[in-house]
Amino acid sequence: MRLALRAAGVAIAFGLLLAMTWASTAPLRVTTSDDAIVRLSLGARPERIETCRTQSDEELEKVAPQMRQRVICEGVTARYRLSVRRNGQLLYEQVVRGGGLRHDRRLYVSRDLHVRPGPGVVAVDLVRIDTVVARGEEEEEEEEEEEEEEHERREHREREDQLPGVVMPGRRQREAEERERRRVEDVPAELHLEVEAVLEARDVLLVTYDPVGRRLVSTQRDRGR
Amino acid sequence: MAAPPRALERLSLGVLTVADAVCNRLYGWRYNPLYQSGTIVTALLLVLLVTGLWLIFFYRVSAPYASVARITADPWFGNWVRAVHRYASDAAIVAIAAHAFRMFAQGRSWGPRALAWMSGVFLLLLTLVSGWTGYVMVWDVFGEALAREGARMLDALPILSEPISRAFTGERPLPSVFFFLNLFAHVAIPLSMLMVLWLHTSRLARPTLLPPRPVLWALIVALIVLSVARPIAMAEEANPLRVAADVPADWFYAFWLPISRSLGGGAALGGAALTLVALLLIPLATKRRGEAAPPKSVVDEAICTGCRQCSIDCPYEAIAMLSRTDGRADEVARVNPELCVSCGICAGSCAPMGVGPPGRSGRDQLERVRAFIARPERRAGELVVICCDRGAGRFQRDLEAEGAVIYPVDCAGSLHTSVIELLVRSGSAGVLTLACPTRDCWNREGPTWLYERVYHDREAELKARVDRDRVKIGFANASEPHVARALLAEFKAQLARAKQPVAEAGLAIDTECEPVPASEES
């Protein structure tokens, strides 16, 4: 009797473990539809709307050397309207802006749009809504030019005469270059992508932003896979 | 607030008792896997460490899928090792769930045990996260689904401006550093679990970490046989530009996936956080308050001889031995109420009966048994069965029907041997003590200590003058009346061969050490 019970115990334990192995590889239905997907995955640097101000030598002297910045710009990033159409029909429209609590970081979009499989033209537009020319910037630029000339003269004098009193010579130029570099990295005010794609069931058409070419690009799986 | 959890506790206890009884019948109480759920988890963790160490040699972060496919294709030292690793991780989840259920049902989740409960919850969480990283390592369609959903949940937190999900959209290939970090986490998390495991058992005097050898080997052999019988197959490689319709998923680690997909990342993360908080709050919800809270043990310092036995026997390291301040040369026991769970084991371990929870100390037990002996309806030569309230006490009517007289105790482990002595010497035909099976004792080591006190002269032993033919210790679970009846029948047969009982008159059980009068001190 006891042997029979033990044998039954072993059989039951093994049965339960077999059930466990089944649950370990049981199929999980990830998607119930055969829709294709237009996947938006963008990461770009939005243009900034900001007010800039030039700090005087006296102001710079008050802060630690590593904190010194000749031109201080404050503001937010511009907003953009992102829209996706397929065969002219609007699939998605959204106002997007920079990330972070103050919206001063890069903008990111990560979204899957379900569409019916088949051929079609997918059009994606990213258009800036806000005007980005910052208040006071034009005046600042003029001032900057004058000040730059004056600064160069002073630098020249400094080099020749070793005059004291000039705070961080050449800083202005470096900052200007940095601002220009950033401006080039910003996403253009208008981007448009139109792609003719044949999407099979559960295929993904990936739309991304190419920061080097400064354009929207699309990718699909290699049909060979 | 406490009522619904207590009702749930009672319901769970009913289920657990029946499950225990079934397993006791099938495997015997010594090898009942439900009694060993905690130690089985540790054994599985060791299996995972050993197999994981082997697999890690063949894993390549630069080609995760290809390297795992190569392991899986090797029938000699690849596939079955990977299968053992996988099935052991699944079995660990089952064992953890069984262990947590047991602790909850037996009301062992609150008070000083709250630390073990909460660290156990973290162990479960770490096991799930570790499993998540393990499946992501493979980078097949299942791993990708787990990674994508995990990222969606984390993206709901406003901590990163760039969504983590973008890493898995296919915009750019996943860098090797991702798989390196994932591998690092998959190794580091189980190692950190060892530290949490130490915390988990830190309040136990003698934590049992591994199951009995037959259970351990049966477990290992079963895992190997299963791995050969049901080898692992590779799923499709992850392709972010193609959505897989069906994914072969491990439901022990992916049970949350359908919920997360239907609710969205934020709601799923919120649900997971709420579940975690609810589990962590169980000790508060099940805590016994007011009169329901059992009193902690206290030491009568005048009686304490400083023998250290209570400190040795206490399963929770709640009793420390300190130097006396009253001038006597010996040490004195001191109970730490923060650690004491009021199990009463110390009451059974103290020969002079100087320690125990109020109302349950050795002296209180003696008083009670004297009243039992003096009751008017007492018959000469009756057979007394001492039943643990949580075990055989549940079916005392069955035993009474067999002619036994029941003497209930709250835990057989806290029973002082003087009670048995008094019952035998006062003329009982015999005394059968029905304790819970050792691994089923709510107070861990109660039945073991009782057995040693009766048969192996452990301190506070049953005196040699007590006729051992009239004494028996047996083990029966709360839903095993047939076992109790069989033990009773066996004991009756034993008594039939023994001499007629003789009631001793004027019985005075010496308590070895009476309180030292203040005048005699120092």
Side-chain angles (χ1 to χ4, degrees), chain B residues 130-194:
Chain B
S130 180
W132 184 91
T133 56
Y135 284 112
V136 171
M137 274 173 80
V138 182
W139 205 238
D140 56 3
V141 282
F142 176 51
E144 187 201 22
L146 281 176
R148 200 184 284 279
E149 281 309 309
R152 265 185 1 131
M153 283 167 74
L154 289 177
D155 283 343
L157 292 173
I159 48 173
L160 296 172
S161 59
E162 176 169 7
I164 304 172
S165 313
R166 279 194 67 226
F168 308 114
T169 56
E171 193 177 335
R172 46 185 176 256
L174 269 174
S176 295
V177 71
F178 167 77
F179 291 103
F180 175 76
L181 287 174
N182 188 60
L183 173 65
F184 178 78
H186 192 63
V187 174
I189 292 170
L191 292 180
S192 68
M193 281 169 70
L194 293 178

Side-chain angles (χ1 to χ4, degrees), chain B residues 40-232:
Chain B
I40 285 175
V41 176
T42 339
L44 289 168
L45 190 60
L46 288 178
V47 170
L48 285 166
L49 284 175
V50 171
T51 50
L53 198 64
W54 174 258
L55 292 171
I56 210 170
F57 286 122
F58 305 101
Y59 183 72
R60 299 281 173 272
V61 290
S62 54
Y65 183 82
S67 60
V68 177
R70 204 163 42 245
I71 294 168
T72 311
D74 175 8
W76 298 107
F77 292 104
N79 194 306
W80 73 266
V81 181
R82 193 181 157 218
V84 168
H85 194 70
R86 180 174 187 149
Y87 296 151
S89 68
D90 295 333
I93 293 290
V94 177
I96 290 173
H99 187 60
F101 181 73
R102 176 170 217 88
M103 295 302 116
F104 173 77
Q106 295 186 338
R108 292 158 76 179
S109 56
W110 60 277
R113 286 155 164 158
L115 177 71
W117 176 270
M118 290 199 278
S119 53
V121 171
F122 279 111
L123 278 172
L124 172 62
L125 181 69
L126 289 174
T127 307
L128 289 173
V129 175
S130 180
W132 184 91
T133 56
Y135 284 112
V136 171
M137 274 173 80
V138 182
W139 205 238
D140 56 3
V141 282
F142 176 51
E144 187 201 22
L146 281 176
R148 200 184 284 279
E149 281 309 309
R152 265 185 1 131
M153 283 167 74
L154 289 177
D155 283 343
L157 292 173
I159 48 173
L160 296 172
S161 59
E162 176 169 7
I164 304 172
S165 313
R166 279 194 67 226
F168 308 114
T169 56
E171 193 177 335
R172 46 185 176 256
L174 269 174
S176 295
V177 71
F178 167 77
F179 291 103
F180 175 76
L181 287 174
N182 188 60
L183 173 65
F184 178 78
H186 192 63
V187 174
I189 292 170
L191 292 180
S192 68
M193 281 169 70
L194 293 178
M195 278 193 290
V196 185
L197 190 65
W198 168 80
L199 188 70
H200 187 65
T201 55
S202 62
R203 288 194 169 173
L204 300 179
R206 287 159 291 274
T208 312
L209 293 176
L210 288 175
R213 276 186 195 171
V215 176
L216 179 66
W217 285 112
L219 187 69
I220 292 171
V221 169
L223 283 172
I224 293 173
V225 170
L226 274 179
S227 305
V228 174
R230 299 244 326 162
I232 297 279

Side-chain angles (χ1 to χ4, degrees), chain B residues 164-405:
Chain B
I164 304 172
S165 313
R166 279 194 67 226
F168 308 114
T169 56
E171 193 177 335
R172 46 185 176 256
L174 269 174
S176 295
V177 71
F178 167 77
F179 291 103
F180 175 76
L181 287 174
N182 188 60
L183 173 65
F184 178 78
H186 192 63
V187 174
I189 292 170
L191 292 180
S192 68
M193 281 169 70
L194 293 178
M195 278 193 290
V196 185
L197 190 65
W198 168 80
L199 188 70
H200 187 65
T201 55
S202 62
R203 288 194 169 173
L204 300 179
R206 287 159 291 274
T208 312
L209 293 176
L210 288 175
R213 276 186 195 171
V215 176
L216 179 66
W217 285 112
L219 187 69
I220 292 171
V221 169
L223 283 172
I224 293 173
V225 170
L226 274 179
S227 305
V228 174
R230 299 244 326 162
I232 297 279
M234 286 299 287
E236 254 180 80
E237 187 175 4
N239 180 358
L241 298 179
R242 173 88 179 157
V243 178
D246 289 310
V247 166
D250 184 340
W251 284 85
F252 295 99
Y253 290 88
F255 60 91
W256 53 275
L257 216 55
I259 305 168
S260 164
R261 291 188 73 84
S262 58
L263 292 181
L269 186 69
L274 279 178
T275 308
L276 180 66
V277 170
L279 286 173
L280 290 173
L281 286 180
I282 279 182
L284 267 184
T286 54
K287 186 177 180 182
R288 272 60 163 172
R289 294 175 174 84
E291 286 182 5
K296 312 278 182 182
S297 281
V298 286
V299 176
D300 187 335
E301 295 194 6
I303 294 173
C304 178
T305 59
C307 73
R308 292 174 166 250
Q309 194 59 40
C310 58
S311 169
I312 294 167
D313 283 0
C314 175
Y316 305 100
E317 291 190 324
I319 304 178
M321 299 306 296
L322 305 174
S323 300
R324 279 188 179 271
T325 53
D326 57 7
R328 280 167 61 180
D330 44 16
E331 289 179 314
V332 67
R334 184 72 50 82
V335 177
N336 181 351
E338 298 296 316
L339 299 178
C340 178
V341 302
S342 189
C343 65
I345 298 291
C346 52
S349 72
C350 181
M353 307 180 192
V355 60
R360 288 151 61 205
S361 71
R363 280 161 205 263
D364 295 318
Q365 291 181 34
L366 268 191
E367 205 172 298
R368 210 178 128 227
V369 77
R370 281 194 181 111
F372 178 81
I373 290 165
R375 75 194 198 283
E377 67 271 24
R378 184 161 199 247
R379 288 178 283 113
E382 66 187 9
L383 197 159
V384 180
V385 179
I386 300 177
C387 291
C388 181
D389 277 347
R390 291 158 181 156
R394 303 277 172 88
F395 41 81
Q396 53 176 283
R397 282 190 186 166
D398 288 15
L399 300 173
E400 280 169 346
E402 302 278 332
V405 176

